[in-house]
Amino acid sequence: MDLDLNFRHEIKHEITYSDMITIRQRLSAVAYLDPNAVDGKYAIRSLYFDNLSDKALREKIDGVNIREKFRIRYYKGDTSDIHLEKKSKLNSLGNKQSAPLTEKQAQLIVDGNLDWMPHSLHPLIRELYTKMTTEGLRPKTIVDYTREPFVFPAGNVRVTIDYDIRTGLACTDFLNKNCVTVPASQAIILEVKWDAFLPDIIRDAVSLESRREGAFSKYATCRIYG
């Protein structure tokens, strides 16, 4: 992992439905809705990668402090805007690197047709190619969920509330909108990300006396079926 990357602070809580209503009302009064949201929310579909020994899954479950995972993602059902992402974690800090993919390129990766990847202009695509060919990284599972995103300029804060988490089971046909997904968890996840500081107004808005920082993983949750 490149420790020179620009990492952001990240905290994550599993909250109740009542908590969600309270925090949503607070944030609506002090923060801004992400302009990409439609009626305050949008759908996310991700395809996560892992190797034959489930390295990414095991490191998450075991609480390894330095880890990374790859995924392909699109929003709002719009397959004209797909990105390959690498999420790196260093304790409670996180970094996300991204590279655009065309719909055709994404399908080629899903199908295991990788010959074009080492010629890509994007280093992240070349890195995924290397890890697919040397470490056995492969598409593992689809993860769908709904997100309510809020932003706050000071501190470059982003607060998200995620729910309706669904898994594609063994299906990795990422671009097939008819791929059946089933509920994987009823959990509601609050995540807060910021740069150098978290403004008090946001800290107060998301504070819940009964909640503690957790380590909930949508990917790990969606792997319960295999």
Side-chain angles (χ1 to χ4, degrees):
M1 180 184 297
D2 185 355
L3 298 183
D4 292 329
L5 295 174
N6 181 25
F7 283 82
R8 281 160 56 81
H9 297 272
E10 297 182 358
I11 57 172
K12 189 181 295 185
H13 303 269
E14 184 173 350
I15 62 176
T16 67
Y17 182 79
S18 177
D19 294 335
M20 179 177 71
I21 299 301
T22 298
I23 290 175
R24 181 193 288 152
Q25 290 175 339
R26 292 177 184 171
L27 289 171
S28 297
V30 300
Y32 304 90
L33 279 175
D34 186 312
N36 294 309
V38 178
D39 295 327
K41 60 188 177 182
Y42 50 69
I44 297 176
R45 167 163 285 192
S46 300
L47 175 64
Y48 282 85
F49 291 72
D50 215 332
N51 64 14
L52 290 175
S53 62
D54 287 328
K55 180 174 182 286
L57 176 61
R58 293 182 182 278
E59 287 183 346
K60 176 62 181 179
I61 293 173
D62 294 341
V64 175
N65 289 330
I66 301 177
R67 61 186 186 272
E68 66 183 29
K69 60 176 176 279
F70 284 83
R71 65 194 179 203
I72 301 176
R73 172 173 287 190
Y74 62 87
Y75 300 83
K76 297 182 289 188
D78 182 7
T79 56
S80 68
D81 187 19
I82 304 173
H83 286 83
L84 167 65
E85 297 179 347
K86 175 185 174 182
K87 186 68 183 293
S88 302
K89 289 287 289 184
L90 175 60
N91 297 318
S92 62
L93 301 175
N95 170 270
K96 184 174 72 175
Q97 297 170 267
S98 179
L101 291 173
T102 65
E103 188 169 344
K104 179 180 179 180
Q105 289 171 336
Q107 190 63 57
L108 287 171
I109 293 174
V110 171
D111 294 340
N113 297 321
L114 313 179
D115 292 346
W116 62 277
M117 295 176 69
H119 310 293
S120 172
L121 297 177
H122 298 282
L124 191 60
I125 293 176
R126 299 197 301 269
E127 181 180 352
L128 177 62
Y129 169 79
T130 298
K131 292 186 175 179
M132 292 184 77
T133 54
T134 63
E135 299 180 13
L137 212 62
R138 290 291 183 272
K140 210 69 172 184
T141 191
I142 291 171
V143 178
D144 287 342
Y145 57 94
T146 299
R147 166 165 289 177
E148 296 185 17
F150 297 84
V151 295
F152 192 78
N156 190 23
V157 177
R158 183 173 180 81
V159 181
T160 56
I161 302 172
D162 298 336
Y163 51 87
D164 191 21
I165 302 167
R166 304 176 65 86
T167 176
L169 300 174
C171 177
T172 58
D173 195 0
F174 177 66
L175 297 174
N176 180 2
K177 296 179 182 179
N178 295 319
C179 176
V180 176
T181 60
V182 299
S185 173
Q186 295 183 346
I188 302 171
I189 308 303
L190 170 71
E191 189 166 9
V192 187
K193 301 178 183 180
W194 70 95
D195 287 345
F197 69 99
L198 180 62
D200 289 342
I201 193 170
I202 299 297
R203 190 184 301 275
D204 293 342
V206 301
S207 65
L208 294 165
E209 292 183 2
S210 60
R211 305 289 169 245
R212 294 184 178 179
E213 183 176 348
F216 188 93
S217 167
K218 300 180 192 72
Y219 169 61
T221 298
C222 288
R223 286 294 309 280
I224 61 175
Y225 296 101

